């Protein structure tokens, strides 16, 4: 799966991490809906870190369509309300 972190670049994420990425996405939807700003920061950081640590950066000169586009790492809680709603970034 190709995951883009907005403002940062693309990563090729191993198939074995896709379920974990989806779990974190769904958890973020629940957190945003409950208004837990502190917990949001922790879980969103985990989502970004999963992609950075387990993903392999895609070279800038390679054109790959992103399967998922994550918001930038400096996303505010208010902005998250627009991103993490309904089925989240990754539809089930």
């Amino acid at each position: 799966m190709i995951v883009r972190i907005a403002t940062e670049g693309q990563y090729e994420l191993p198939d074995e991490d896709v379920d974990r990425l989806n779990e974190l996405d769904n958890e973020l939807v629940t957190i945003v809906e409950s208004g837990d700003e502190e917990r949001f920061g922790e879980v969103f950081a985990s989502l970004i870190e999963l992609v950075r640590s387990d993903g392999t950066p895609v070279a800038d000169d390679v054109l790959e369509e992103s399967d998922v586009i994550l918001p930038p790492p400096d996303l505010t809680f208010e902005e998250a309300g627009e991103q993490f709603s309904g089925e989240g970034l990754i539809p089930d």
Side-chain angles (χ1 to χ4, degrees):
M1 170 183 272
I2 302 295
V3 179
R4 173 176 295 283
I5 299 175
T7 72
E8 191 168 305
Q10 289 181 306
Y11 296 82
E12 185 170 353
L13 195 64
D15 290 341
E16 59 265 17
D17 286 334
V18 172
D19 286 342
R20 181 67 183 136
L21 185 72
N22 194 28
E23 289 170 8
L24 289 169
D25 178 47
N26 290 336
E27 185 176 353
L28 285 165
V29 170
T30 301
I31 289 168
V32 167
E33 288 174 352
S34 73
D36 190 345
E37 187 171 352
E38 183 176 326
R39 181 82 180 123
F40 169 80
E42 295 167 9
V43 176
F44 185 61
S46 295
L47 179 87
I48 296 291
E49 184 55 31
L50 172 69
V51 174
R52 287 177 178 159
S53 66
D54 289 11
T56 303
V58 175
D60 291 336
D61 61 345
V62 174
L63 296 175
E64 289 283 340
E65 184 175 339
S66 300
D67 297 301
V68 175
I69 301 175
L70 300 180
D74 63 351
L75 180 76
T76 67
F77 186 71
E78 291 76 27
E79 294 167 333
E82 299 169 15
Q83 301 285 326
F84 295 97
S85 61
E87 290 188 11
L89 300 173
I90 309 166
D92 289 328

